[in-house]
Amino acid sequence: MVGFARLRRILRSYPMPLTFLGLFTAMWMVQALILPPGARQAVIAWASTNLANLAVNPVGTMVVSAFVAEGSQGVLLVAAAIGLFPITRRFGNLRAVALITASHVLGTLISQGIALVRLEAGLLSDSIRTIPDVGPSYVLCAALVAAFLYGHGRVRRLVALAWWCALVPVLLDGLLTLEVAAVGHLVAMLTGAVAGRLLLLRERRRGPAPLGAVPAGPPAAGAAEA
C-alpha cells in the first residue's frame, strides 16, 4: 500500500514529464518495432520542422517533431528525464510546460529563419527546405540548462550539469557554420536560462510557492543536498 500511495503521488505531482516521456517512448517503440524502414523515414519526413513543413503545417509539425527521433532515443530519453523532473519540481507542471514550449518553438523558428535568410541570399541549396529536423533535443537542452541553474538540490543540479557537459559538444557541433540543429540547440539553451530566470523573478514577487509546484517534501536523513 505504501508503494502504491507513493506511485499515486508521483503520478499526481509529475504529469508533464511522465506524459512527455511516455509519448516519446511510445513513438520510439512504434518506430523500432512496428514500422518498416520506409515508413519510418516517411514519418520522420512528415514530422520534420523544416521550411517545407513549417510553411503548410507549422503547429502540427512543431508538436509531433518533439516525439519523433532519427536515433539515440535511449540517450535522449534519459537526458530529457534528468532535465524535466527537476524543472517540474522547481516551477510546477504548467510553468515547466511554458519553459520547454518556448524553447522548442524559438529554437525551431530562429534556426529555420536563419536557414531561410541564407537560402534567399544564395548561401544554401534548395535542399535545406526538406532536411530532416526532428527530436526532443531542443526540449532537453532547455530543461537541462534550467535544471542545473535553478533546480532544487546540489546533487540533482550536478547531474543535470554533467549530462549537459557530455552532450553539448554534439549538440553545438556545426554552430560556427550556422547549421540548423546547432543554432536551434543554442537558442533553446538560452531560452531555458532566460525563461527560468523570469519564472524565478515572478515567483519571488508572488511568494515562494508557484501555482502547481511539486512539494519538495522532507529531506532524507543524512542527505547531502543543499
Side-chain angles (χ1 to χ4, degrees):
M1 290 298 293
V2 174
F4 181 71
R6 180 179 177 82
L7 177 61
R8 268 198 317 180
R9 185 174 66 83
I10 291 173
L11 293 174
R12 186 174 63 250
S13 299
Y14 296 102
M16 186 277 283
L18 291 172
T19 299
F20 186 93
L21 297 173
L23 289 173
F24 181 73
T25 302
M27 180 54 71
W28 178 16
M29 293 299 101
V30 169
Q31 288 178 266
L33 303 177
I34 298 176
L35 298 180
R40 286 198 294 269
Q41 292 305 313
V43 168
I44 290 170
W46 173 73
S48 290
T49 49
N50 51 39
L51 294 174
N53 286 343
L54 288 173
V56 296
N57 184 23
V59 176
T61 299
M62 202 87 69
V63 172
V64 176
S65 66
F67 302 101
V68 178
E70 293 185 85
S72 302
Q73 284 95 333
V75 173
L76 294 170
L77 187 69
V78 173
I82 289 172
L84 291 176
F85 282 99
I87 65 168
T88 302
R89 181 183 178 91
R90 183 66 186 83
F91 298 118
N93 285 279
L94 293 179
R95 294 179 187 180
V97 168
L99 185 149
I100 63 171
T101 299
S103 301
H104 182 63
V105 170
L106 288 177
T108 298
L109 294 182
I110 292 176
S111 62
Q112 292 293 341
I114 290 174
L116 178 60
V117 170
R118 297 179 70 206
L119 174 64
E120 296 296 329
L123 300 176
L124 297 174
S125 70
D126 202 57
S127 62
I128 194 68
R129 295 184 183 275
T130 56
I131 61 166
D133 188 14
V134 293
S137 56
Y138 295 169
V139 169
L140 71 86
C141 279
L144 287 174
V145 169
F148 76 70
L149 288 178
Y150 311 116
H152 286 304
R154 185 179 305 161
V155 171
R156 295 185 188 93
R157 296 175 70 175
L158 288 175
V159 170
L161 177 59
W163 269 81
W164 180 82
C165 290
L167 294 175
V168 75
V170 176
L171 296 174
L172 297 185
D173 183 38
L175 182 61
L176 295 180
T177 54
L178 296 180
E179 291 188 12
V180 169
V183 172
H185 292 143
L186 179 61
V187 172
M189 292 175 194
L190 294 175
T191 304
V194 172
R197 183 64 180 171
L198 293 175
L199 289 173
L200 280 183
L201 293 175
R202 187 167 182 262
E203 175 186 326
R204 288 170 184 169
R205 286 198 300 267
R206 296 197 170 193
L211 181 64
V214 180
E225 296 179 356

